[in-house]
Amino acid sequence: QVDVLPLPGADAATPSFLLFLMRDKTAERSIEKMRTDFVANASHELRTPLASLIGFIETLQGPARNDVAAREKFLNIMREQAGRMSRLIDDLLSLSRIETKPRIDADERADLAVILSSICDAMEKRAAEAGLAFSLQLDTESGVVNGNHDELAQVFANLAENAVKYAGGGEKVVLGVRPVDREPALLEAYVQDFGRGIPAEHVPRLTERFYRVEDGAASKAAGTGLGLSIVRNILQRHGTRLQVHSEAGIGTVFSIRLRKASQ
Ligand code: ADP
């Protein structure tokens, strides 16, 4: 929130002052709207699994009290719903932690090669279960950039998770770092999958909070719709953006340009 005070000696009714005041009010209103939308969305997302949990508890206390088979089935569903709530709360906390942080410091360092290779190791088992092989492609001598290690690790973990969730059948996922044409000060890290791709009309909205592409396979995958908004917020703190290149039936490349660390 910004307080607008007239400059000493300035007339509060001058047009330039009024314009400034109006702009400021508009910005305030839109931030306020974003906040109330966010609270409404978050409550809705939490209420859905909670309502289902309450429903199953009532059934287990009533009609299904002595039905052993039904009890087992309902308890499994309840565990899934509770897991969903817990993921949502984790994501909401991550988002609010990041949103309150200022831009990263100029002396923070992160090594993209280290981050990507540890993600490859961590994902290997889950990826194999989904029929995917993870590989690492390092086309630079050094992957050291100006960035926060933990936050960038979260960015690439979210992108790698999505590749496993949504790009099954694509055989492989490549994580890599490469130089940027005509921009020697930058490095580009990417996560490429060969899955079904994302229809063009959804691409501009991917990083909105709670946005999920509605199609049969995607809506079945466990997700909160917050993963890519966390990515966007972290990248904003790093002064960069998520780039997406996707083609239906061919796959998706998410890439991020970061400034090389000065030696
Ligand atoms: P979540 O995965 O929790 O739903 P995200 O914000 O991480 O939320 O992703 C938003 C949506 O973008 C997903 O629901 C999915 O439909 C789509 N998506 C993300 N990554 C991919 C991918 N690699 N291939 C296809 N669709 C994807």
Side-chain angles (χ1 to χ4, degrees), residues 179-187 258-260:
V180 179
D181 272 353
R182 291 188 292 275
E183 295 275 11
L186 303 180
L187 280 182
L258 290 154
R259 198 153 287 281
K260 282 183 195 169

Side-chain angles (χ1 to χ4, degrees), residues 36-46 88 209-210:
T36 49
D37 283 356
F38 180 51
V39 172
N41 281 337
S43 316
H44 173 79
E45 294 290 324
L46 283 167
L88 253 170
R209 290 163 175 161
F210 301 111

